[in-house]
Amino acid sequence: QVQLAESGGGLVQAGGSLRLSCAASGRTFSLYNMGWFRQAPGKEREFVATVRWSGIGTDYADSVKGRFTLSRDNAKNTVTLQMNSLKAEDTAVYYCAAKNKPYGPYDYWGQGTQVTVSS
């Protein structure tokens, strides 16, 4: 089993920045990649960004490219999502997720952290 703990959400004005962190514990050696998803009120959960557990190889949703950066800290088993130039439409609950294989659904999910961007 793998446990994921998110931190760093909050309230920020449009144009501002926030940093989300996700710490993984447990059988982390089995992980293939980690990612962030978000869910806004009344909408389905959507992909935001993903990074291979090795730290090599990232992918972003078109809506966040150029504004969000996902990085991996091997020593701390943590991934960090740096969010810049935030927009009101970025408001959502952000979830950290991880999986043991390159394809298919994610196996593990965090509890979620609220990000609110005021316009």
Side-chain angles (χ1 to χ4, degrees):
Q1 282 286 11
V2 172
Q3 295 78 42
L4 303 175
E6 301 127 331
S7 61
L11 173 64
V12 65
Q13 289 188 334
S17 298
L18 279 177
R19 181 178 296 177
L20 305 182
S21 292
C22 178
S25 60
R27 298 172 60 89
T28 58
F29 61 86
S30 67
L31 294 179
Y32 182 82
N33 73 359
M34 292 182 68
W36 285 92
F37 291 75
R38 66 187 182 186
Q39 187 167 19
K43 294 187 177 181
E44 294 186 352
R45 188 175 298 184
E46 64 175 4
F47 165 76
V48 175
T50 187
V51 62
R52 290 186 183 177
W53 190 238
S54 64
I56 302 173
T58 55
D59 190 24
Y60 299 91
D62 289 342
S63 59
V64 306
K65 281 182 181 177
R67 300 187 298 121
F68 291 11
T69 302
L70 183 58
S71 60
R72 163 102 164 82
D73 185 328
N74 291 334
K76 297 182 179 179
N77 283 345
T78 299
V79 294
T80 299
L81 184 67
Q82 177 66 42
M83 306 185 294
N84 299 328
S85 302
L86 283 162
K87 306 174 182 179
E89 51 262 44
D90 294 318
T91 296
V93 177
Y94 283 70
Y95 297 90
C96 178
K99 59 182 178 179
N100 297 323
K101 49 197 178 300
Y103 302 107
Y106 279 76
D107 301 295
Y108 310 103
W109 292 86
Q111 78 283 359
T113 185
Q114 178 70 47
V115 170
T116 303
V117 183
S118 62
S119 56

